[in-house]
């Protein structure tokens, strides 16, 4: 026996971030950089009705998720020399801080199989976390590359690692 289901999901998201930072240059090669930011996220997902085999099709209700987080970090960087118009020397950076969840939650998913009983999936609450990263970067007149690794430790335990690579090019 074969079962099939097809659905069309639609939604929209909105996000905004603002913050400030300041570089304290202790020398041509070493600086300390405190940072603070606040972030807002909102995701509105429309409900939808799947089509297909009656035994497995779902009717999924609308869902809205929001989050407001504040992040504060203290960064340290060491460069092989001073930055100039011509480029940025090889630099090692480290950031340590905290992301605090201020408000909002992930929306519950409510659905019905065919003409059956309604059920609801309730996500975990968002957690504040300690965060940290270390990275290397270098650049020229019109580009900068960066490779970094980091982790966050939510208040409910566990560790969530991450790795990032980026290339910025000025056109």
């Amino acid at each position: 026996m074969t079962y099939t289901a097809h659905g069309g999901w639609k939604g929209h998201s909105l996000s905004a971030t603002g913050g400030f930072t300041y570089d304290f240059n202790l020398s041509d090669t070493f600086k300390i950089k405190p940072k603070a930011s606040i972030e807002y996220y909102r995701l509105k997902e429309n409900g939808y009705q799947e089509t297909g085999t009656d035994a497995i099709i779902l009717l999924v209700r609308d869902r809205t998720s929001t989050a407001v987080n504040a992040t504060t970090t203290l960064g340290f960087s060491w460069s092989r020399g001073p930055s100039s118009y011509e480029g940025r020397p090889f630099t090692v950076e480290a950031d340590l801080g905290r992301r605090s969840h201020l408000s909002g939650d992930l929306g519950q998913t409510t659905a019905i199989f065919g003409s059956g009983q309604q059920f609801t999936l309730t996500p975990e609450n968002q957690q504040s976390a300690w965060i940290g990263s270390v990275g290397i970067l270098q650049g020229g007149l019109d580009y900068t590359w960066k490779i970094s690794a980091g982790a966050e430790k939510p208040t409910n335990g566990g560790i969530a690692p991450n790795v990032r690579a980026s290339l910025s090019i000025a056109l």
Side-chain angles (χ1 to χ4, degrees), residues 10-124:
K10 290 184 181 178
H12 62 272
S13 64
L14 171 71
S15 64
T17 303
F20 62 90
T21 184
Y22 186 80
D23 289 348
F24 291 99
N25 295 312
L26 302 178
S27 70
D28 284 345
T29 60
F30 187 72
K31 58 175 99 160
I32 296 175
K33 182 189 282 191
K35 299 179 203 175
S37 66
I38 190 157
E39 307 161 326
Y40 172 78
Y41 299 100
R42 177 180 166 85
L43 174 63
K44 169 72 172 95
E45 300 171 276
N46 297 334
Y48 61 92
Q49 171 72 52
E50 293 180 339
T51 59
T53 309
D54 284 342
I56 65 166
I57 61 172
L58 285 171
L59 168 65
V60 180
R61 306 266 187 231
D62 292 355
R63 175 171 78 163
T64 301
S65 301
T66 60
V68 178
N69 297 317
T71 304
T72 54
T73 60
L74 185 59
F76 305 90
S77 69
W78 171 85
S79 314
R80 195 177 321 170
S83 292
S84 71
Y85 174 75
E86 293 296 321
R88 182 161 190 170
F90 178 81
T91 303
V92 178
E93 296 181 327
D95 288 299
L96 300 169
R98 179 134 177 101
R99 187 191 68 243
S100 298
H101 177 68
L102 302 177
S103 69
D105 59 8
L106 300 175
Q108 295 180 329
T109 300
T110 302
I112 301 169
F113 272 115
S115 59
Q117 185 74 6
Q118 176 175 296
F119 64 94
T120 300
L121 303 173
T122 303
E124 290 183 20

Side-chain angles (χ1 to χ4, degrees), residues 145-148 163-167:
W145 61 262
K146 182 176 181 176
I147 300 170
S148 65
V163 177
R164 295 180 180 156
S166 66
L167 176 64

Side-chain angles (χ1 to χ4, degrees), residues 132-143:
S133 67
V134 64
I136 57 173
L137 63 114
Q138 188 170 359
L141 178 64
D142 55 359
Y143 72 95

